[in-house]
Amino acid sequence: MIPSQQYRFLRQSLRDGRSIKDDSSKWHRLHLDPWLLGLLVVNSIIGLMAVYSATAEDMGMVLRQATSFGVGFILLFICAQIPPKVYQATSPYFYLISVVLLVLVLVIGDTRLGAKRWLTVPGIGSVQPSEFMKFAMPLMMAWYFARKPFPPKLIHILGALVIMFVPFVLVALQPDLSIGLIIPGIFVLFLSGMSWRLILGAFMAFAVTAPVLWMYVLQAYQKKRVLTLFDPESDALGAGWNIIQSKIAIGSGGLMGKGYLGGTQSHLGYLPEHHTDFILSTYSEEFGFLGVMFLFALYAAIIFRCMMIGLNSFHNYGRLLASAIGLTFFFFVFLNSGMISGILPVTGDPLPLMSYGGTAVIALLAGMGIVMSIHTHR
């Protein structure tokens, strides 16, 4: 290659490289990850479609859910602009504010269906503080372990258990024994390199204390849910009704589904809570096995992207936080899917970005904004 050709080749290569860099920096200047953002937008659109069908085409509820998505994406953008070091410095304050909100629920909260879990905020409506704690828990745990040696010592693990125990007790008094509240903390413990012997010991301790929990902690309706899991037909018109109708809805969808807005179990009122806890049953009936596999592939891509961002982080706080948010997202998908298919007890936890409910959507999207911040503030 003669010098003039070498010069032209080098100039063209530099121009191509600069254009690629400029194109990618557009997203970095906005502190957004285009892959994760695109996946979340697609999932949100599917969620709105599912809510529209599950609510019998109630545009009022759809608009309220769309407003929650709008607020959530605005918060996602705002959270993505804030450097991770700011989150690390303010994590204890997020945690303390969430604890205070849980205390306020017990004092002035609204009681619905025998549980006191909501606060009424003037001009906003009802909010569920336990959803904010699911957002604050990984922040606090990542802050706690970020400056400690890996793997953590026993004294540090005991301190982490105290951090998780306080909100767990406050939520249990509502009453609500949603294990999803402490799952983010458990994932951070796992990611920090906790010894497998300690993990095995924790499972053995839980097995030993399980009878005590069953006799003195679990409420009657919670025991009924566990027993119904193994034999739903024993109370087909009572506690087993939800699971039985959910299985019918899933099975009747077949391979291709009955078509959008064509579900009968939800539209005829057989499937309870078809726009919240059991929205995946409604979706399965209308879009079938192939539709569910597409949704799960979408979920898997979101989880994989969060995990990759966590693995590529250059500091412990970002690595722990992004990975814990991704694993927590996976847990709630698994929990809700297992619940509606009859392999896990009915817990009342929503399906991420699908179930109707503003607080969960806003908290989840804000968490995804923090993941993007970790990715772009390197």
Side-chain angles (χ1 to χ4, degrees):
M1 186 181 291
I2 61 176
S4 61
Q5 291 176 325
Q6 291 176 339
Y7 173 74
R8 286 195 299 271
F9 175 77
L10 179 60
R11 185 175 63 180
Q12 182 64 36
S13 299
L14 290 173
R15 185 183 301 115
D16 293 342
R18 186 167 57 251
S19 65
I20 294 173
K21 181 179 179 181
D22 291 343
D23 182 65
S24 63
S25 65
K26 294 175 183 177
W27 290 103
H28 276 268
R29 283 197 296 270
L30 293 173
H31 296 291
L32 297 175
D33 178 61
W35 296 104
L36 183 55
L37 180 63
L39 293 168
L40 293 172
V41 169
V42 173
N43 201 338
S44 301
I45 293 172
I46 295 175
L48 286 175
M49 291 174 59
V51 169
Y52 179 73
S53 175
T55 57
E57 305 175 34
D58 186 340
M59 283 304 300
M61 298 185 71
V62 174
L63 288 175
R64 286 194 291 272
Q65 186 74 347
T67 301
S68 298
F69 276 115
V71 173
F73 277 107
I74 291 173
L75 275 180
L76 180 149
F77 179 78
I78 294 172
C79 290
Q81 312 309 307
I82 302 172
K85 61 183 180 181
V86 176
Y87 291 113
Q88 187 170 0
T90 57
S91 292
Y93 302 105
F94 280 117
Y95 175 81
L96 290 174
I97 291 172
S98 298
V99 169
V100 171
L101 289 175
L102 291 177
V103 174
L104 287 176
V105 168
L106 297 176
V107 178
I108 59 172
D110 299 333
T111 301
R112 303 175 188 174
L113 301 177
K116 187 180 289 188
R117 302 174 188 172
W118 295 268
L119 282 176
T120 300
V121 180
I124 297 177
S126 296
V127 296
Q128 193 171 353
S130 60
E131 294 295 334
F132 292 119
M133 180 53 74
K134 293 175 185 177
F135 170 78
M137 181 65 75
L139 287 172
M140 182 63 184
M141 293 291 287
W143 171 86
Y144 179 76
F145 281 110
R147 296 184 177 274
K148 290 179 170 55
F150 288 0
K153 298 178 181 179
L154 180 59
I155 186 65
H156 299 149
I157 294 175
L158 293 176
L161 292 177
V162 172
I163 293 173
M164 291 187 289
F165 185 73
V166 172
F168 180 77
V169 171
L170 291 174
V171 173
L173 293 174
Q174 295 181 358
D176 182 11
L177 290 181
S178 174
I179 194 175
L181 185 70
I182 60 173
I183 280 297
I186 294 175
F187 281 139
V188 174
L189 262 175
F190 175 77
L191 293 167
S192 66
M194 182 177 173
S195 169
W196 281 103
R197 281 185 289 185
L198 290 176
I199 295 175
L200 181 60
F203 277 112
M204 292 178 64
F206 175 77
V208 171
T209 58
V212 178
L213 295 174
W214 178 267
M215 293 176 62
Y216 301 107
V217 178
L218 291 183
Q219 302 290 324
Y221 76 94
Q222 293 167 333
K223 294 179 182 179
K224 190 70 173 179
R225 287 178 177 179
V226 176
L227 295 175
T228 303
L229 171 68
F230 300 103
D231 187 14
E233 284 75 16
S234 63
D235 189 10
L237 298 179
W241 176 268
N242 294 1
I243 295 178
I244 293 173
Q245 297 303 319
S246 177
K247 288 180 178 180
I248 293 174
I250 295 172
S252 63
L255 181 65
M256 303 291 291
K258 297 179 178 178
Y260 185 53
L261 304 178
T264 55
Q265 290 298 110
S266 58
H267 290 180
L268 296 179
Y270 291 103
L271 185 64
E273 305 297 336
H274 46 269
H275 62 295
T276 53
D277 299 348
F278 289 88
I279 196 166
L280 185 57
S281 303
T282 303
Y283 178 87
S284 302
E285 185 180 20
E286 296 183 355
F287 293 95
F289 177 79
L290 295 180
V292 173
M293 287 299 100
F294 174 78
L295 181 63
F296 282 174
L298 192 62
Y299 280 143
I302 292 173
I303 296 164
F304 178 78
R305 187 58 183 166
C306 290
M307 296 300 295
M308 289 303 300
I309 290 173
L311 290 173
N312 291 324
S313 177
F314 291 104
H315 44 87
N316 287 337
Y317 179 80
R319 188 178 299 114
L320 290 173
L321 183 55
S323 301
I325 290 174
L327 288 175
T328 303
F329 188 90
F330 158 77
F331 173 79
F332 283 110
V333 172
F334 171 76
L335 184 63
N336 185 274
S337 304
M339 177 187 75
I340 64 104
S341 58
I343 63 174
L344 292 175
V346 177
T347 60
D349 289 291
L351 184 66
L353 300 178
M354 293 287 288
S355 296
Y356 178 83
T359 309
V361 165
I362 293 171
L364 189 151
L365 290 176
M368 290 298 173
I370 296 177
V371 173
M372 294 186 190
S373 171
I374 293 169
H375 176 60
T376 58
H377 288 90
R378 293 194 293 177

